[in-house]
Amino acid sequence: GAVVSQHPSWVICKSGTSVKIECRSLDFQATTMFWYRQFPKQSLMLMATSNEGSKATYEQGVEKDKFLINHASLTLSTLTVTSAHPEDSSFYICSLREGRETQYFGPGTRLLVL
Amino acid sequence: DQQVKQNSPSLSVQEGRISILNCDYTNSMFDYFLWYKKYPAEGPTFLISISSIKDKNEDGRFTVFLNKSAKHLSLHIVPSQPGDSAVYFCAASARGSNYKLTFGKGTLLTVNP
C-alpha cells in the first residue's frame, strides 16, 4: 500500500502557540488526504478531508479556523493547530486513500500542549 | 451515536489458537469494511477489507466474515502469534460518503506465548 510519513513525530509546545504538522505521500499522488485525532483509549475521529487545490471539508464540531489545513500539492498536506491549548493535546494522524476505499495511515504526531 | 461498535475492549488468547474479533454496525448504508491493526504511538496498519457483496475474504492468517443481515463482521486470526498483540480497529464506509471511514473504539488483543 501507499507509504505515508508525518513530521514531526512528537511536539511539545506552550499554550497559545501554533503548531504545524506535515503529512507526505512518499509514493502516491493523493488528491485526497484525511486528518484524524485520537484521544487516549478512544477511537480515531475524522477531523477533516483535505482536497488538493481546494478548501478542506471539516467534520461537524471541528473548528476550521483553529485547525488550518493546506493541501497545496499531490504529496503534501499540512495541519496547523492555531493558538493551541492543553485540550488540543492528542495524537494526530493523517491518511490517504488508494483505490476506492482503503486508507493508508501515517505514523502519527503526538502533540502535548503545556 | 456510535455507528461502528466493538463491544469487547480486550481479548486474550494463547499462541497458536484462534483469535476472533467482533464488530457490529448500525448504518445500513455501510458497504465496505476494513480492519486495521495499531500499536501504541503509531498509525494504523491496514490488514484486510471486505465489500458488502461478499461474505468472506481471506488473506493468509486473516479472514474477515460479514453477516449483513446481522450487521456484524468478525476478524479471525489463526494461528495467533505474540506479534499479533495490538489494538484492532474495525472501520466502515458508505457509498456516497466521500470515502470517509467510521471507526470502532478498538479491541486490545493480547496473544500469550
Side-chain angles (χ1 to χ4, degrees):
Chain A
V3 180
V4 184
S5 71
Q6 277 184 245
H7 178 81
S9 56
W10 60 271
V11 58
I12 301 174
C13 69
K14 291 182 179 179
S15 184
T17 60
S18 294
V19 175
K20 179 186 282 188
I21 303 170
E22 293 185 349
C23 176
R24 290 184 185 274
S25 171
L26 300 184
D27 60 352
F28 184 75
Q29 293 190 322
T31 56
T32 304
M33 291 184 175
F34 302 89
W35 286 96
Y36 292 82
R37 179 168 54 182
Q38 185 188 25
F39 292 107
K41 297 187 178 180
Q42 295 296 315
S43 182
L44 283 79
M45 297 300 295
L46 179 65
M47 298 175 66
T49 303
S50 169
N51 302 300
E52 188 265 339
S54 64
K55 291 183 178 180
T57 304
Y58 291 81
E59 295 300 299
Q60 191 173 12
V62 178
E63 299 175 58
K64 62 180 181 181
D65 294 329
K66 181 169 183 61
F67 298 99
L68 301 179
I69 291 173
N70 184 283
H71 193 158
S73 77
L74 291 172
T75 59
L76 174 64
S77 175
T78 61
L79 168 68
T80 302
V81 183
T82 62
S83 187
H85 287 97
E87 58 265 30
D88 298 323
S89 298
S90 187
F91 190 56
Y92 293 86
I93 315 172
C94 70
S95 74
L96 59 84
R97 178 177 56 85
E98 186 178 273
R100 190 208 136 174
E101 301 287 1
T102 305
Q103 290 183 24
Y104 294 91
F105 288 82
T109 297
R110 173 77 58 191
L111 171 64
L112 177 61
V113 184
L114 301 176
Chain B
D1 176 29
Q2 190 104 34
Q3 297 186 62
V4 177
K5 300 177 184 178
Q6 292 178 258
N7 292 318
S8 297
S10 63
L11 174 68
S12 183
V13 300
Q14 285 300 118
E15 181 179 5
R17 306 295 289 269
I18 184 171
S19 295
I20 300 176
L21 298 144
N22 293 304
C23 178
D24 297 293
Y25 61 96
T26 58
N27 188 342
S28 58
M29 299 300 291
F30 286 147
D31 66 343
Y32 200 83
F33 304 89
L34 308 91
W35 283 95
Y36 286 86
K37 174 182 177 181
K38 185 180 182 298
Y39 295 112
E42 293 185 11
T45 302
F46 170 72
L47 280 176
I48 193 168
S49 62
I50 188 167
S51 165
S52 61
I53 63 174
K54 295 185 176 181
D55 54 19
K56 177 183 175 181
N57 189 24
E58 191 173 352
D59 184 2
R61 295 186 299 116
F62 302 94
T63 302
V64 56
F65 295 91
L66 175 62
N67 183 333
K68 289 188 293 294
S69 60
K71 293 191 175 68
H72 175 84
L73 65 154
S74 61
L75 174 68
H76 292 211
I77 306 173
V78 57
S80 300
Q81 300 172 353
D84 295 329
S85 297
V87 177
Y88 288 77
F89 287 97
C90 170
S93 73
R95 187 178 295 275
S97 69
N98 198 25
Y99 312 109
K100 294 192 295 187
L101 292 181
T102 301
F103 282 84
K105 287 192 173 182
T107 297
L108 173 62
L109 173 66
T110 302
V111 180
N112 301 303

